[in-house]
Amino acid sequence: MIRAATVNDVATIRAMIHELAEYERAVEQVRATEEQLREALFGEHPAAFTLIAEDDETGEAVGFALWFPRFSTWTGTRGMHLEDLYVRESARGGGHGKALLASLAAICEERGYERFEWWVLAWNEPTIDFYKSLGVEFLDEWRICRLSGEPLRDLAGRATAGLDRISASCTAQ
């Protein structure tokens, strides 16, 4: 069963984020607290949305998908960015990942989102093979760019005057 997450799922979502980070060999990078997730997912201005996959027999949460809307200047339409998709190891192969992706695709169709995009680690062959079985297109000509930490602070320090006006006019958080 796939359902929308509720505020009561925050601890479980946080635990699965940690499990995903262990799988991706990056557990030291997980800093999100339950309070941050509660605000980001269920606060006044949600930054993202989450679906939960439950085991049909036990009702236990066995996976999640966390996504947020994006916008394409080329199509002039919104799309969906899947930030995380995770199914607990004990539940893999049971159709939960496919059901989560199908539910997200249905949301895209319902809302007129023309693109549904996400990233996958290049070494994660089992997941890549799973995505290929669904007909996913891999955009090898694109590179992910990330600016964080000291380089982000350095670049921000180069901003010109008037930043207060710019920040005040941006409503996205």
Side-chain angles (χ1 to χ4, degrees), residues 14-152:
R14 169 81 175 58
M16 287 193 284
I17 289 169
H18 194 271
E19 292 168 26
L20 173 61
E22 286 176 347
Y23 177 77
E24 291 184 351
R25 307 171 191 155
V27 73
E28 70 283 351
Q29 295 178 36
V30 176
R31 297 190 327 249
T33 66
E34 286 184 26
E35 184 168 320
Q36 286 173 313
L37 291 171
R38 192 173 294 106
E39 179 61 29
L41 301 176
F42 303 103
E44 187 176 340
H45 301 286
F49 306 91
T50 307
L51 296 181
I52 299 290
E54 291 183 336
D55 181 272
D56 289 334
E57 293 177 17
T58 66
E60 175 189 356
V62 295
F64 79 102
L66 190 144
W67 66 276
F68 54 87
R70 57 186 307 164
F71 181 77
S72 169
T73 57
W74 289 18
T75 67
T77 62
R78 286 185 179 222
M80 178 183 286
H81 178 81
L82 174 60
E83 180 65 18
D84 285 327
L85 175 73
Y86 177 72
V87 174
R88 289 184 158 150
E89 189 173 356
S90 63
R92 292 184 192 146
H96 303 291
K98 192 177 289 185
L100 284 164
L101 288 171
S103 294
L104 293 171
I107 291 170
C108 289
E109 286 292 306
E110 174 186 293
R111 297 182 183 186
Y113 295 177
E114 292 188 26
R115 293 182 178 170
F116 177 19
E117 299 174 328
W118 63 92
W119 305 337
V120 62
L121 290 167
W123 59 259
N124 194 345
E125 288 299 324
T127 301
I128 290 169
D129 290 343
F130 167 64
Y131 292 153
K132 285 179 180 177
S133 77
L134 299 175
V136 169
E137 173 187 9
F138 290 87
L139 305 176
D140 294 330
E141 67 275 11
W142 291 88
R143 298 279 185 212
I144 298 167
C145 300
R146 178 179 291 161
L147 194 59
S148 62
E150 192 63 32
L152 176 62

